Structures are given as structure tokens and as C-alpha cells.
């Protein structure tokens, strides 16, 4: 567990009949079954096309769908058919909350979600097997940032919009990686199960949603129940577009917490690779925009956000001055969050637009001036 509170919560077990249902739904035995299932719709496409950057994969799928239909058209139909449970107006507040806190979301993702995720040994082995353990680290982070930036653009996750297309590109990229690792001696199926399987994919959604919201709150951002529910709803549909089975897409915040507790207790197994991945990430991102923070301060943020237990397991420690800097920043964030509450809605929208434009400039710096080299075709 990342925090003493979450560890205590897990040790208490289910506290109501509904929680018993969720506890069983996400039991270790059931999660093990999900480790044998991947994303058949996307995988059938990837098996028939050559690897390229994500936008190239989707371009090829669209071309083949027009010429052949079949598996390619089935993938597009699934992505463009909006489930009946989706209401874009209801997820609009969530989109705006992620847009409003875009920079802080990036800090939490970098210092908490990804670092904690690396302590889940089985999923993190994909980076080891593909040779990206300590290669192109900052570029991976900026490409992840490009995805997060695009999905909170003006069109959000609506079909035909850039955010929707970007998630389709990510989904095909994951399928291409699975294709690369299929029958690859670098990947030990008996030891690590199927690469980028359904449990791993559900865990990724938790990193972008559950862990990010938890980290934002720890940094002093005020998020009320309605906002939190909309943020969760936003990522429920994003997870669907990324190929996560609906049975692993939680419907309430309480159910999401149970999934997070069960999944973490199932996968938490830090190794030397976990430590290498975490420190390579923080070291490579030190001194880089948008924060330009030194390595020691990033270590301090990470230790504060993931909790002492995980930090100790990953040998992440910080100096007293760096820890003091974290608490100063936290005080400033709390004050700014209180001020945000009293702003009228038009002013909040101006802040959100400013932060989104700031994110765009940061990503352009990180990705470089040549869009042809970007992982995804466009930037919102």
C-alpha cells in the first residue's frame, strides 16, 4: 500500500455486503484470470500491420478498414460506438478539473503514479523487455503528457475529436507492443503472464485517475465529491476507449478504492528494476519543464506522495531542505485552491485555458519542433 491509511483499510477487509461483492469481484484469483486476457480487437489489427508510431498505426487501420473491412472495421466500430452509459455533459466537470490542474497532475503522475506503478513488478517488466528501462525516459513522459493534454482539449473524449483519436492511437500502440513481445525470448509468460493484460490496463487507469486525485488532494488541491465523481466518470470512458473490459471499469468511488486495494496487494513486488525505473524517471526529468526542479526536490515530492513504505522499498530518500520545499509548495497550493473556489465560473475557465496553453508550450519544448517525430499526430 502507498499510505498507512490504505494499508489499514485493506487489513480491515470488506465492511458491508456491497463491499463484499466488490472484494470478491476483484479477488486475487479473479485478477489472475484477467492477466490471461488482453485486447482481442486491437490485437487482431496489430497482427496484420507493420509497427510504426501510434498515429501511423491508426492511419493504417483506417485505410485497411476502407479497403477490407473485417478486423479493422470492427476495431473502428467499437471505438466510435458510444456506450449507453456515457453522458458527455456529466463528464464535463471532470474534464475541466483535469484541465485546471494540468501542471500539478503532471507532477503527481511523475512523482507518484508512475513511481508507485514501477513497484508493481509484473507490469513494469514490459519496459525492461522492450529495452526502454532507462532509454528515452523523458520522451516517454512528454508523450504521456501529450495524451493527457489532448483528452482534455475542447472536444474532450467525443468521437471525432483529437482526444478520442489519441486514445485510439495509444490502444493500438499497446497492441503493437504485445505483438512485439509475442514469442519473444525477452518475455517470460510463465513468470509475468500476458504482457499489457487486462489487469495491467486497469491498473494504468488507476494511475491516471485514483492515484492522481489522491496526489492532488495530498498537495492541497480542494476536490469535492461531485468533482471527484466526474473525474472518475471521465476516466471510466477513457478506459473503455483504451480497451479495458467494462467488468474492470468501476462505477463508484467506493468500488474504485476496493479495486485499487486489491490490485495493489496483488501486484506490489518491488525489485531492483523498480528502483532503477523510478530513479531513471526522476533523474531524467530533473531540470526539465514545466517545473525545472532539481533531482533532490523531485525525490522529496515522490517520497511525500507515495508514502514512506513504498519510498523505503524503492530507496527513495530526500534531504531536509528538499522536504521543507515540498511543504512550502503544498501551503501555496492549498491557498491557491481556496482562492479558486471563490472565483466566478468565467474566471475559472480563463485559468483552465491558460493552464492548457501552458501545457501545450511545455510539451512543444519537450517533444521538439518536428511534429513528424511526435508519438501522436497532433497537439490540442
Amino acid at each position: 500500500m502507498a499510505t498507512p491509511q490504505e494499508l489499514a483499510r485493506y487489513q480491515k477487509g470488506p465492511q458491508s455486503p456491497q463491499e463484499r461483492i466488490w472484494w470478491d469481484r476483484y479477488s486475487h484469483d479473479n485478477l489472475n484470470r484477467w492477466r490471461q486476457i488482453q485486447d482481442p480487437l486491437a490485437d487482431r489489427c496489430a497482427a496484420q500491420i507493420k509497427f510504426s508510431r501510434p498515429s501511423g498505426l491508426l492511419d493504417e487501420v483506417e485505410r485497411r478498414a476502407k479497403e477490407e473491412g473485417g478486423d479493422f472495421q470492427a476495431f473502428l466500430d467499437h471505438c466510435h460506438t458510444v456506450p449507453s452509459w456515457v453522458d458527455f455533459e456529466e463528464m464535463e466537470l471532470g474534464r475541466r478539473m483535469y484541465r485546471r490542474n494540468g501542471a500539478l497532475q503532471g507532477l503527481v503522475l511523475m512523482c507518484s503514479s508512475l513511481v508507485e506503478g514501477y513497484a508493481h513488478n509484473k507490469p513494469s517488466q514490459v519496459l525492461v523487455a522492450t529495452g526502454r528501462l532507462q532509454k528515452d525516459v523523458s520522451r516517454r513522459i512528454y508523450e504521456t503528457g501529450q495524451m493527457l493534454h489532448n483528452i482534455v482539449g475542447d472536444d474532450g473524449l467525443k468521437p471525432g475529436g483529437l482526444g478520442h483519436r489519441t486514445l485510439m492511437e495509444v490502444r493500438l500502440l499497446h497492441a503493437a507492443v504485445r505483438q512485439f513481445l509475442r514469442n519473444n525470448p525477452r518475455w517470460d509468460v510463465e513468470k509475468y503472464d500476458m504482457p499489457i493484460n487486462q489487469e495491467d490496463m486497469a491498473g494504468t487507469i488507476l494511475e491516471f485517475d485514483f492515484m492522481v486525485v489522491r496526489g492532488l488532494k495530498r498537495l492541497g488541491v480542494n476536490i469535492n465529491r461531485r468533482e471527484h465523481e466526474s473525474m472518475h466518470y471521465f476516466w471510466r470512458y477513457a478506459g473503455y476507449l483504451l480497451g479495458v473490459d467494462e467488468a474492470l471499469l468501476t462505477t463508484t468511488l467506493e468500488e474504485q478504492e476496493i479495486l485499487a486495494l486489491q490490485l495493489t496487494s496483488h501486484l506490489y513486488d518491488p525489485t531492483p528494476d523498480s528502483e532503477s525505473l523510478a530513479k531513471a524517471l526522476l533523474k531524467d526529468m530533473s531540470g526539465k519543464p514545466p517545473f525545472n526542479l532539481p533531482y533532490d526536490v523531485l525525490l522529496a515530492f515522490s517520497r511525500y506522495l507515495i508514502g514512506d513504505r513504498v519510498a523505503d522499498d524503492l530507496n527513495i530518500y530526500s534531504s531536509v531542505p528538499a522536504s521543507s520545499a515540498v511543504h512550502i509548495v503544498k501551503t501555496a497550493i492549498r491557498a491557491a485552491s481556496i482562492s479558486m473556489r471563490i472565483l466566478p465560473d468565467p474566471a475559472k475557465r480563463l485559468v483552465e485555458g491558460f493552464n492548457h496553453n501552458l501545457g501545450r508550450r511545455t510539451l512543444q519544448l519537450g517533444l521538439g519542433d518536428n511534429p513528424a517525430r511526435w508519438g501522436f499526430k497532433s497537439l490540442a
Side-chain angles (χ1 to χ4, degrees), residues 27 71 73 77 80 97 133 158 205 239 263 272 291 348 363:
S27 68
D71 294 330
Q73 190 60 51
D77 289 345
H80 286 281
M97 286 297 293
L133 177 65
K158 295 176 182 176
I205 302 305
L263 190 145
F291 304 106
K348 290 178 181 177
L363 289 168

Side-chain angles (χ1 to χ4, degrees), residues 297-343:
V297 174
L298 291 180
L299 289 173
F301 269 108
S302 185
R303 186 173 182 89
Y304 174 72
L305 290 168
I306 66 178
D308 290 343
R309 178 189 169 183
V310 179
D312 287 347
D313 287 345
L314 297 176
N315 291 312
I316 290 178
Y317 303 99
S318 61
S319 65
V320 173
S323 298
S324 299
V326 169
H327 288 285
I328 291 171
V329 170
K330 178 183 173 182
T331 301
I333 291 172
R334 180 179 287 112
S337 186
I338 293 172
S339 299
M340 180 66 68
R341 283 284 166 208
I342 63 176
L343 287 178

Side-chain angles (χ1 to χ4, degrees), residues 71-83:
D71 294 330
F72 303 103
Q73 190 60 51
F75 174 81
L76 296 180
D77 289 345
H78 176 267
C79 292
H80 286 281
T81 300
V82 179

Side-chain angles (χ1 to χ4, degrees), residues 129 181 184-194:
L181 293 175
N184 190 316
R186 294 182 182 179
W187 187 261
D188 188 339
V189 175
E190 292 298 319
K191 189 174 182 180
Y192 301 120
D193 307 311
M194 304 297 284

Side-chain angles (χ1 to χ4, degrees), residues 162-177:
L162 180 56
H164 184 273
R165 184 178 183 85
T166 299
L167 291 183
M168 293 171 67
E169 293 172 350
V170 172
R171 184 173 177 179
L172 287 170
L173 173 63
H174 290 166
V177 172

Side-chain angles (χ1 to χ4, degrees), residues 13 43 49 68 79 99-100 103-104 121 143 159 176 235-236 248:
D43 290 342
I49 58 180
E68 309 169 27
C79 292
R99 187 176 171 114
R100 185 181 306 168
L104 289 178
N121 182 43
E143 287 176 351
W235 267 104
R236 188 175 200 270
L248 288 172

Side-chain angles (χ1 to χ4, degrees), residues 214-277:
R214 181 190 66 188
L216 290 173
K217 289 182 175 181
R218 283 183 64 78
L219 287 177
V221 177
N222 188 310
I223 299 174
N224 62 36
R225 173 81 186 195
R226 180 166 171 267
E227 291 165 343
H228 194 174
E229 287 177 339
S230 186
M231 295 167 85
H232 171 253
Y233 186 41
F234 180 88
W235 267 104
R236 188 175 200 270
Y237 182 46
Y240 172 87
L241 292 173
L242 287 168
V244 180
D245 192 285
E246 285 194 57
L248 288 172
L249 294 172
T250 56
T251 57
T252 68
L253 300 181
E254 290 75 19
E255 183 185 1
Q256 184 190 49
E257 182 186 38
I258 301 298
L259 173 59
L261 293 171
Q262 288 284 60
L263 190 145
T264 300
S265 66
H266 186 225
L267 292 179
Y268 188 80
D269 181 26
T271 67
D273 283 339
S274 305
E275 179 182 344
S276 297
L277 283 165

